[in-house]
Amino acid sequence: MNEAKKIWNQRFAQHRKETGRYLRYIFNQHLAFVLIFSIGAGAYYYQQWLETLSPHFPYAIVMSIILAVVITKSPIQTFLKQADIVFLLPMETKMSAYFYRSFLYSFTLQSYIVILVVAGLAPLYLTMSGRGATSLLLLLVLLLILKVWNMLIEWAVQYFVEKEVHIVDFIIRFLISFSFVYFVIIKANYLYPVLIIVIMFGLYFYFRKLTSSKRLKWDHLIELESKRMMTFYRIANLFTDVPQLKIQVKRRKWLDWTLKRLPFSQDATFTHLFARAFLRSSDYFGLFIRLLIIGILLLVMLPLSYGMLVIVVLFLYLTGFQLMTLWRHFSMKIWLGLYPIQKAVREKAFLQLLHILLIIQASIFAIVILFIGKVFIAFLAFVCGIVFSYVFINIYVKSRLKKL
């Protein structure tokens, strides 16, 4: 047991040291500024939105869906590595102390997320329900207990490798969590939550009996841990180089027509390289698409007017800032130094590509606003996007490239 505790403490110290090194780059002054600005603007429009809500707004269903998703998704971080399948497998029966600490760490980490989500939903809950802070605090306590149950079931399901089992488990736990939270929020007859609690206990003991004779699926746990770290590395790679990151490349034949339009000349060498890196790397192309979709959803869902301009500029900044890492995409390829091409040409190719991407994003945002029916706001959004992209590229990005 002491050996298991020692191994976990060492792994945790290594994990904290490694992630801490990258978190210093992630939470820099630029991100802090964007977060403060976003939170302030979000809180202002959130309050305005609450004032426009009808008394019949289904706040209980909305809150239950959001909270059920947060509660149901309950991964347990184990810090396992590839070599453990050889060296720690013989110690499986003595690793209970190790996994117990992993469970506590994961619960603590996810509790912060639950608290933040509840804090975000608190104005909606207090406004629509007419209840006080005591009721909200009770809801939070019940959610944390529900999180523990979800994590226990999540761990039990890791004894199975079939994808169907994991999918069905998630759906069942989501429905149970949604029902429980919904009945608590609307203050339904106590028999309904009690019935759900009985089902929860039954499901827990069912899985406990089912997995009592099974062995841990080490390869599956190691794969999950590797995916979690790759996700973190992808985020960190937006701010600095991450040697551990394994970049995924996809052909995306349906976008080949964009590459065929590029000129074949010596000056366009890096235009081809940067364009192909953007289109075929999941990190850059996926980031661009995700930010585009999130921005569109905010424009469609939030009842804003001139606030849409803030969203457009904010997402253009986020896209441009995070795509700057594309400049260093070929930094480890020393053979590019053999190209008889000046650095100024390479810089021009990168800035042009980034400028085009921001213009495309601004145009899509303007079209979305136009379809909403705000013609003048759509025009202003497009103009603001053009002006911001030009200033951002020619002043901010140019100065940053000299330091990268």
Short mmCIF file of all heavy atoms in Angstrom, two decimals, residues 69-120:
data_model
loop_
_atom_site.label_atom_id
_atom_site.label_comp_id
_atom_site.label_asym_id
_atom_site.label_seq_id
_atom_site.Cartn_x
_atom_site.Cartn_y
_atom_site.Cartn_z
N VAL A 69 -25.16 17.27 -17.97
CA VAL A 69 -23.98 17.04 -18.81
C VAL A 69 -22.71 17.16 -17.99
O VAL A 69 -21.80 16.32 -18.07
CB VAL A 69 -23.96 18.04 -19.99
CG1 VAL A 69 -22.62 17.95 -20.73
CG2 VAL A 69 -25.10 17.77 -20.94
N VAL A 70 -22.63 18.21 -17.16
CA VAL A 70 -21.44 18.43 -16.33
C VAL A 70 -21.27 17.31 -15.31
O VAL A 70 -20.15 16.83 -15.06
CB VAL A 70 -21.53 19.80 -15.61
CG1 VAL A 70 -20.37 19.98 -14.64
CG2 VAL A 70 -21.55 20.92 -16.63
N ILE A 71 -22.37 16.86 -14.73
CA ILE A 71 -22.32 15.81 -13.71
C ILE A 71 -22.01 14.45 -14.32
O ILE A 71 -21.22 13.66 -13.78
CB ILE A 71 -23.65 15.75 -12.94
CG1 ILE A 71 -23.88 17.04 -12.15
CG2 ILE A 71 -23.68 14.56 -12.00
CD1 ILE A 71 -22.87 17.28 -11.06
N THR A 72 -22.61 14.16 -15.47
CA THR A 72 -22.44 12.83 -16.08
C THR A 72 -21.04 12.61 -16.60
O THR A 72 -20.49 11.51 -16.48
CB THR A 72 -23.46 12.64 -17.22
OG1 THR A 72 -24.77 12.91 -16.74
CG2 THR A 72 -23.40 11.22 -17.75
N LYS A 73 -20.45 13.63 -17.19
CA LYS A 73 -19.08 13.50 -17.70
C LYS A 73 -18.12 13.51 -16.51
O LYS A 73 -17.79 14.57 -15.98
CB LYS A 73 -18.77 14.63 -18.67
CG LYS A 73 -17.47 14.43 -19.45
CD LYS A 73 -17.34 15.46 -20.53
CE LYS A 73 -16.02 15.32 -21.28
NZ LYS A 73 -15.86 13.96 -21.87
N SER A 74 -17.69 12.33 -16.09
CA SER A 74 -16.91 12.21 -14.85
C SER A 74 -15.67 11.34 -15.04
O SER A 74 -15.56 10.25 -14.48
CB SER A 74 -17.79 11.61 -13.75
OG SER A 74 -18.94 12.38 -13.53
N PRO A 75 -14.72 11.79 -15.86
CA PRO A 75 -13.49 11.01 -16.06
C PRO A 75 -12.63 10.99 -14.80
O PRO A 75 -12.64 11.94 -14.02
CB PRO A 75 -12.79 11.73 -17.21
CG PRO A 75 -13.26 13.14 -17.09
CD PRO A 75 -14.68 13.06 -16.61
N ILE A 76 -11.88 9.93 -14.63
CA ILE A 76 -10.99 9.79 -13.48
C ILE A 76 -9.56 9.78 -14.00
O ILE A 76 -9.17 8.91 -14.79
CB ILE A 76 -11.29 8.50 -12.69
CG1 ILE A 76 -12.71 8.57 -12.14
CG2 ILE A 76 -10.28 8.30 -11.56
CD1 ILE A 76 -13.17 7.31 -11.47
N GLN A 77 -8.79 10.77 -13.58
CA GLN A 77 -7.42 10.91 -14.05
C GLN A 77 -6.51 9.99 -13.23
O GLN A 77 -6.41 10.13 -12.01
CB GLN A 77 -6.96 12.37 -13.92
CG GLN A 77 -5.74 12.69 -14.73
CD GLN A 77 -5.58 14.17 -14.93
OE1 GLN A 77 -6.43 14.96 -14.51
NE2 GLN A 77 -4.50 14.57 -15.59
N THR A 78 -5.84 9.07 -13.91
CA THR A 78 -5.06 8.04 -13.21
C THR A 78 -3.56 8.26 -13.29
O THR A 78 -2.81 7.60 -12.56
CB THR A 78 -5.38 6.66 -13.79
OG1 THR A 78 -5.07 6.66 -15.20
CG2 THR A 78 -6.85 6.31 -13.60
N PHE A 79 -3.08 9.12 -14.19
CA PHE A 79 -1.65 9.37 -14.40
C PHE A 79 -0.90 8.12 -14.86
O PHE A 79 0.31 8.03 -14.69
CB PHE A 79 -0.98 9.92 -13.13
CG PHE A 79 -1.64 11.13 -12.56
CD1 PHE A 79 -2.03 11.16 -11.23
CD2 PHE A 79 -1.89 12.24 -13.34
CE1 PHE A 79 -2.64 12.27 -10.69
CE2 PHE A 79 -2.51 13.36 -12.80
CZ PHE A 79 -2.89 13.38 -11.48
N LEU A 80 -1.62 7.14 -15.41
CA LEU A 80 -0.96 5.92 -15.87
C LEU A 80 -0.18 6.19 -17.15
O LEU A 80 -0.56 7.03 -17.97
CB LEU A 80 -1.99 4.82 -16.12
CG LEU A 80 -2.72 4.27 -14.88
CD1 LEU A 80 -3.73 3.23 -15.29
CD2 LEU A 80 -1.72 3.69 -13.89
N LYS A 81 0.93 5.45 -17.33
CA LYS A 81 1.77 5.58 -18.51
C LYS A 81 1.88 4.24 -19.24
O LYS A 81 1.50 3.20 -18.69
CB LYS A 81 3.17 6.08 -18.10
CG LYS A 81 3.12 7.43 -17.39
CD LYS A 81 4.51 7.90 -17.02
CE LYS A 81 4.46 9.27 -16.33
NZ LYS A 81 5.81 9.75 -15.95
N GLN A 82 2.43 4.30 -20.45
CA GLN A 82 2.48 3.12 -21.29
C GLN A 82 3.24 1.97 -20.63
O GLN A 82 2.85 0.80 -20.74
CB GLN A 82 3.13 3.48 -22.63
CG GLN A 82 3.00 2.39 -23.69
CD GLN A 82 1.55 2.11 -24.07
OE1 GLN A 82 0.77 3.03 -24.26
NE2 GLN A 82 1.19 0.84 -24.18
N ALA A 83 4.32 2.29 -19.94
CA ALA A 83 5.14 1.24 -19.33
C ALA A 83 4.45 0.56 -18.14
O ALA A 83 4.86 -0.54 -17.74
CB ALA A 83 6.47 1.83 -18.86
N ASP A 84 3.40 1.17 -17.61
CA ASP A 84 2.72 0.60 -16.44
C ASP A 84 2.06 -0.73 -16.75
O ASP A 84 1.86 -1.56 -15.85
CB ASP A 84 1.66 1.58 -15.91
CG ASP A 84 2.29 2.83 -15.35
OD1 ASP A 84 3.49 2.79 -15.03
OD2 ASP A 84 1.60 3.85 -15.25
N ILE A 85 1.72 -0.94 -18.02
CA ILE A 85 1.07 -2.19 -18.39
C ILE A 85 2.01 -3.39 -18.17
O ILE A 85 1.56 -4.53 -18.07
CB ILE A 85 0.59 -2.13 -19.86
CG1 ILE A 85 -0.50 -3.17 -20.09
CG2 ILE A 85 1.75 -2.31 -20.82
CD1 ILE A 85 -1.20 -3.02 -21.42
N VAL A 86 3.30 -3.09 -18.05
CA VAL A 86 4.29 -4.14 -17.79
C VAL A 86 4.71 -4.15 -16.33
O VAL A 86 4.72 -5.19 -15.67
CB VAL A 86 5.53 -3.96 -18.70
CG1 VAL A 86 6.60 -5.00 -18.34
CG2 VAL A 86 5.15 -4.06 -20.16
N PHE A 87 5.04 -2.95 -15.80
CA PHE A 87 5.65 -2.88 -14.48
C PHE A 87 4.64 -2.82 -13.33
O PHE A 87 4.95 -3.25 -12.22
CB PHE A 87 6.58 -1.66 -14.42
CG PHE A 87 7.74 -1.76 -15.36
CD1 PHE A 87 7.75 -1.04 -16.54
CD2 PHE A 87 8.82 -2.58 -15.08
CE1 PHE A 87 8.81 -1.13 -17.42
CE2 PHE A 87 9.89 -2.68 -15.95
CZ PHE A 87 9.89 -1.95 -17.13
N LEU A 88 3.46 -2.26 -13.56
CA LEU A 88 2.48 -2.15 -12.47
C LEU A 88 1.39 -3.21 -12.53
O LEU A 88 0.65 -3.39 -11.56
CB LEU A 88 1.83 -0.76 -12.48
CG LEU A 88 2.73 0.42 -12.12
CD1 LEU A 88 1.91 1.70 -12.06
CD2 LEU A 88 3.45 0.20 -10.80
N LEU A 89 1.26 -3.89 -13.65
CA LEU A 89 0.23 -4.90 -13.78
C LEU A 89 0.32 -5.98 -12.70
O LEU A 89 -0.71 -6.37 -12.13
CB LEU A 89 0.30 -5.55 -15.17
CG LEU A 89 -0.78 -6.59 -15.49
CD1 LEU A 89 -2.17 -5.98 -15.39
CD2 LEU A 89 -0.56 -7.18 -16.88
N PRO A 90 1.53 -6.47 -12.35
CA PRO A 90 1.60 -7.48 -11.27
C PRO A 90 1.16 -6.95 -9.91
O PRO A 90 0.84 -7.74 -9.02
CB PRO A 90 3.09 -7.86 -11.26
CG PRO A 90 3.61 -7.47 -12.60
CD PRO A 90 2.84 -6.26 -12.98
N MET A 91 1.12 -5.61 -9.75
CA MET A 91 0.74 -5.01 -8.47
C MET A 91 -0.74 -4.62 -8.42
O MET A 91 -1.16 -3.91 -7.51
CB MET A 91 1.58 -3.74 -8.21
CG MET A 91 3.05 -3.99 -7.98
SD MET A 91 3.92 -2.43 -7.73
CE MET A 91 3.00 -1.70 -6.38
N GLU A 92 -1.53 -5.06 -9.38
CA GLU A 92 -2.91 -4.60 -9.49
C GLU A 92 -3.70 -4.77 -8.20
O GLU A 92 -4.46 -3.89 -7.80
CB GLU A 92 -3.62 -5.34 -10.63
CG GLU A 92 -5.07 -4.89 -10.81
CD GLU A 92 -5.73 -5.54 -12.01
OE1 GLU A 92 -5.03 -5.93 -12.95
OE2 GLU A 92 -6.97 -5.64 -12.01
N THR A 93 -3.53 -5.89 -7.54
CA THR A 93 -4.29 -6.14 -6.30
C THR A 93 -3.85 -5.23 -5.16
O THR A 93 -4.57 -5.11 -4.16
CB THR A 93 -4.12 -7.60 -5.88
OG1 THR A 93 -2.72 -7.90 -5.74
CG2 THR A 93 -4.73 -8.54 -6.91
N LYS A 94 -2.68 -4.58 -5.31
CA LYS A 94 -2.17 -3.70 -4.25
C LYS A 94 -2.25 -2.23 -4.65
O LYS A 94 -1.66 -1.38 -3.97
CB LYS A 94 -0.71 -4.06 -3.94
CG LYS A 94 -0.52 -5.50 -3.48
CD LYS A 94 0.95 -5.80 -3.24
CE LYS A 94 1.16 -7.26 -2.82
NZ LYS A 94 2.59 -7.57 -2.62
N MET A 95 -2.99 -1.93 -5.71
CA MET A 95 -3.04 -0.56 -6.24
C MET A 95 -4.28 0.20 -5.80
O MET A 95 -4.56 1.27 -6.33
CB MET A 95 -2.99 -0.60 -7.76
CG MET A 95 -1.67 -1.08 -8.34
SD MET A 95 -0.34 0.10 -8.10
CE MET A 95 -0.83 1.39 -9.23
N SER A 96 -5.03 -0.33 -4.85
CA SER A 96 -6.27 0.34 -4.43
C SER A 96 -5.99 1.74 -3.87
O SER A 96 -6.76 2.68 -4.13
CB SER A 96 -7.01 -0.50 -3.40
OG SER A 96 -6.17 -0.77 -2.29
N ALA A 97 -4.90 1.89 -3.11
CA ALA A 97 -4.55 3.20 -2.55
C ALA A 97 -4.21 4.19 -3.66
O ALA A 97 -4.53 5.38 -3.57
CB ALA A 97 -3.38 3.07 -1.58
N TYR A 98 -3.60 3.72 -4.73
CA TYR A 98 -3.25 4.56 -5.87
C TYR A 98 -4.51 5.10 -6.54
O TYR A 98 -4.65 6.31 -6.76
CB TYR A 98 -2.41 3.74 -6.86
CG TYR A 98 -1.97 4.51 -8.07
CD1 TYR A 98 -0.70 5.07 -8.13
CD2 TYR A 98 -2.80 4.67 -9.18
CE1 TYR A 98 -0.28 5.77 -9.25
CE2 TYR A 98 -2.40 5.37 -10.30
CZ TYR A 98 -1.14 5.92 -10.32
OH TYR A 98 -0.73 6.63 -11.43
N PHE A 99 -5.43 4.20 -6.87
CA PHE A 99 -6.64 4.61 -7.58
C PHE A 99 -7.58 5.40 -6.66
O PHE A 99 -8.37 6.23 -7.15
CB PHE A 99 -7.34 3.39 -8.16
CG PHE A 99 -6.56 2.71 -9.25
CD1 PHE A 99 -6.17 1.39 -9.13
CD2 PHE A 99 -6.18 3.42 -10.38
CE1 PHE A 99 -5.44 0.77 -10.13
CE2 PHE A 99 -5.45 2.81 -11.40
CZ PHE A 99 -5.08 1.49 -11.26
N TYR A 100 -7.53 5.15 -5.36
CA TYR A 100 -8.34 5.92 -4.42
C TYR A 100 -7.91 7.39 -4.45
O TYR A 100 -8.76 8.30 -4.46
CB TYR A 100 -8.19 5.35 -3.02
CG TYR A 100 -8.88 6.16 -1.95
CD1 TYR A 100 -10.26 6.16 -1.82
CD2 TYR A 100 -8.14 6.94 -1.05
CE1 TYR A 100 -10.90 6.91 -0.84
CE2 TYR A 100 -8.76 7.69 -0.07
CZ TYR A 100 -10.14 7.67 0.04
OH TYR A 100 -10.75 8.42 1.02
N ARG A 101 -6.59 7.63 -4.51
CA ARG A 101 -6.10 9.00 -4.58
C ARG A 101 -6.42 9.65 -5.92
O ARG A 101 -6.71 10.85 -5.98
CB ARG A 101 -4.59 9.02 -4.32
CG ARG A 101 -4.24 8.97 -2.85
CD ARG A 101 -2.81 8.56 -2.58
NE ARG A 101 -2.55 8.68 -1.16
CZ ARG A 101 -3.02 7.86 -0.23
NH1 ARG A 101 -3.80 6.84 -0.60
NH2 ARG A 101 -2.73 8.03 1.05
N SER A 102 -6.40 8.85 -6.97
CA SER A 102 -6.80 9.37 -8.28
C SER A 102 -8.27 9.80 -8.27
O SER A 102 -8.64 10.82 -8.86
CB SER A 102 -6.58 8.30 -9.36
OG SER A 102 -5.21 8.02 -9.51
N PHE A 103 -9.08 9.00 -7.59
CA PHE A 103 -10.51 9.31 -7.49
C PHE A 103 -10.71 10.63 -6.73
O PHE A 103 -11.47 11.50 -7.17
CB PHE A 103 -11.23 8.17 -6.77
CG PHE A 103 -12.72 8.30 -6.74
CD1 PHE A 103 -13.50 7.70 -7.72
CD2 PHE A 103 -13.36 9.03 -5.75
CE1 PHE A 103 -14.89 7.82 -7.71
CE2 PHE A 103 -14.73 9.16 -5.72
CZ PHE A 103 -15.50 8.56 -6.70
N LEU A 104 -10.03 10.79 -5.60
CA LEU A 104 -10.17 12.01 -4.80
C LEU A 104 -9.69 13.23 -5.57
O LEU A 104 -10.32 14.29 -5.54
CB LEU A 104 -9.39 11.87 -3.49
CG LEU A 104 -9.97 10.95 -2.42
CD1 LEU A 104 -9.08 10.94 -1.19
CD2 LEU A 104 -11.39 11.37 -2.03
N TYR A 105 -8.56 13.08 -6.26
CA TYR A 105 -8.03 14.20 -7.04
C TYR A 105 -9.00 14.61 -8.15
O TYR A 105 -9.28 15.79 -8.34
CB TYR A 105 -6.68 13.80 -7.64
CG TYR A 105 -6.16 14.79 -8.66
CD1 TYR A 105 -5.59 16.00 -8.25
CD2 TYR A 105 -6.24 14.52 -10.03
CE1 TYR A 105 -5.13 16.92 -9.18
CE2 TYR A 105 -5.78 15.44 -10.96
CZ TYR A 105 -5.22 16.62 -10.53
OH TYR A 105 -4.76 17.53 -11.45
N SER A 106 -9.53 13.62 -8.86
CA SER A 106 -10.46 13.89 -9.95
C SER A 106 -11.74 14.53 -9.43
O SER A 106 -12.29 15.46 -10.05
CB SER A 106 -10.80 12.59 -10.69
OG SER A 106 -9.63 12.00 -11.21
N PHE A 107 -12.23 14.05 -8.28
CA PHE A 107 -13.44 14.63 -7.69
C PHE A 107 -13.21 16.09 -7.30
O PHE A 107 -14.06 16.96 -7.54
CB PHE A 107 -13.89 13.82 -6.48
CG PHE A 107 -15.03 14.45 -5.74
CD1 PHE A 107 -16.31 14.47 -6.26
CD2 PHE A 107 -14.82 15.07 -4.50
CE1 PHE A 107 -17.36 15.07 -5.58
CE2 PHE A 107 -15.85 15.66 -3.82
CZ PHE A 107 -17.12 15.67 -4.35
N THR A 108 -12.07 16.36 -6.69
CA THR A 108 -11.75 17.74 -6.28
C THR A 108 -11.70 18.66 -7.49
O THR A 108 -12.25 19.77 -7.48
CB THR A 108 -10.40 17.78 -5.55
OG1 THR A 108 -10.44 16.89 -4.42
CG2 THR A 108 -10.09 19.19 -5.07
N LEU A 109 -11.04 18.19 -8.55
CA LEU A 109 -10.90 18.99 -9.76
C LEU A 109 -12.26 19.26 -10.40
O LEU A 109 -12.57 20.39 -10.80
CB LEU A 109 -9.98 18.25 -10.75
CG LEU A 109 -9.25 19.09 -11.79
CD1 LEU A 109 -8.31 20.09 -11.11
CD2 LEU A 109 -8.45 18.18 -12.72
N GLN A 110 -13.08 18.22 -10.48
CA GLN A 110 -14.38 18.36 -11.13
C GLN A 110 -15.38 19.11 -10.25
O GLN A 110 -16.36 19.67 -10.76
CB GLN A 110 -14.92 16.99 -11.51
CG GLN A 110 -14.08 16.31 -12.59
CD GLN A 110 -14.53 14.90 -12.88
OE1 GLN A 110 -15.72 14.62 -12.96
NE2 GLN A 110 -13.59 13.98 -13.04
N SER A 111 -15.16 19.11 -8.94
CA SER A 111 -16.03 19.87 -8.05
C SER A 111 -15.95 21.36 -8.35
O SER A 111 -16.95 22.08 -8.29
CB SER A 111 -15.66 19.60 -6.60
OG SER A 111 -15.92 18.27 -6.25
N TYR A 112 -14.72 21.83 -8.68
CA TYR A 112 -14.56 23.24 -9.04
C TYR A 112 -15.40 23.58 -10.27
O TYR A 112 -16.00 24.65 -10.35
CB TYR A 112 -13.08 23.55 -9.31
CG TYR A 112 -12.22 23.58 -8.06
CD1 TYR A 112 -11.17 22.70 -7.90
CD2 TYR A 112 -12.48 24.50 -7.05
CE1 TYR A 112 -10.38 22.73 -6.77
CE2 TYR A 112 -11.69 24.54 -5.91
CZ TYR A 112 -10.64 23.65 -5.77
OH TYR A 112 -9.87 23.67 -4.64
N ILE A 113 -15.42 22.66 -11.24
CA ILE A 113 -16.21 22.90 -12.46
C ILE A 113 -17.70 22.97 -12.12
O ILE A 113 -18.42 23.84 -12.63
CB ILE A 113 -15.94 21.78 -13.48
CG1 ILE A 113 -14.45 21.77 -13.87
CG2 ILE A 113 -16.81 21.96 -14.72
CD1 ILE A 113 -14.06 20.63 -14.78
N VAL A 114 -18.16 22.04 -11.27
CA VAL A 114 -19.57 22.04 -10.86
C VAL A 114 -19.91 23.36 -10.15
O VAL A 114 -20.96 23.97 -10.43
CB VAL A 114 -19.86 20.85 -9.93
CG1 VAL A 114 -21.29 20.93 -9.39
CG2 VAL A 114 -19.66 19.53 -10.67
N ILE A 115 -19.04 23.80 -9.26
CA ILE A 115 -19.28 25.05 -8.52
C ILE A 115 -19.35 26.23 -9.48
O ILE A 115 -20.21 27.12 -9.35
CB ILE A 115 -18.19 25.25 -7.46
CG1 ILE A 115 -18.31 24.18 -6.36
CG2 ILE A 115 -18.28 26.64 -6.84
CD1 ILE A 115 -17.16 24.17 -5.38
N LEU A 116 -18.44 26.27 -10.47
CA LEU A 116 -18.43 27.38 -11.43
C LEU A 116 -19.71 27.39 -12.27
O LEU A 116 -20.29 28.45 -12.53
CB LEU A 116 -17.21 27.27 -12.34
CG LEU A 116 -15.85 27.60 -11.70
CD1 LEU A 116 -14.72 27.32 -12.68
CD2 LEU A 116 -15.81 29.06 -11.26
N VAL A 117 -20.16 26.21 -12.69
CA VAL A 117 -21.37 26.13 -13.50
C VAL A 117 -22.59 26.55 -12.68
O VAL A 117 -23.46 27.29 -13.16
CB VAL A 117 -21.57 24.71 -14.06
CG1 VAL A 117 -22.91 24.57 -14.76
CG2 VAL A 117 -20.44 24.35 -15.02
N VAL A 118 -22.66 26.09 -11.43
CA VAL A 118 -23.76 26.47 -10.55
C VAL A 118 -23.75 27.98 -10.32
O VAL A 118 -24.80 28.63 -10.31
CB VAL A 118 -23.69 25.71 -9.21
CG1 VAL A 118 -24.71 26.27 -8.22
CG2 VAL A 118 -23.96 24.22 -9.44
N ALA A 119 -22.55 28.54 -10.13
CA ALA A 119 -22.43 29.99 -9.94
C ALA A 119 -22.93 30.74 -11.18
O ALA A 119 -23.58 31.78 -11.08
CB ALA A 119 -20.98 30.36 -9.64
N GLY A 120 -22.61 30.19 -12.37
CA GLY A 120 -23.08 30.82 -13.60
C GLY A 120 -24.59 30.74 -13.77
O GLY A 120 -25.21 31.65 -14.31
#
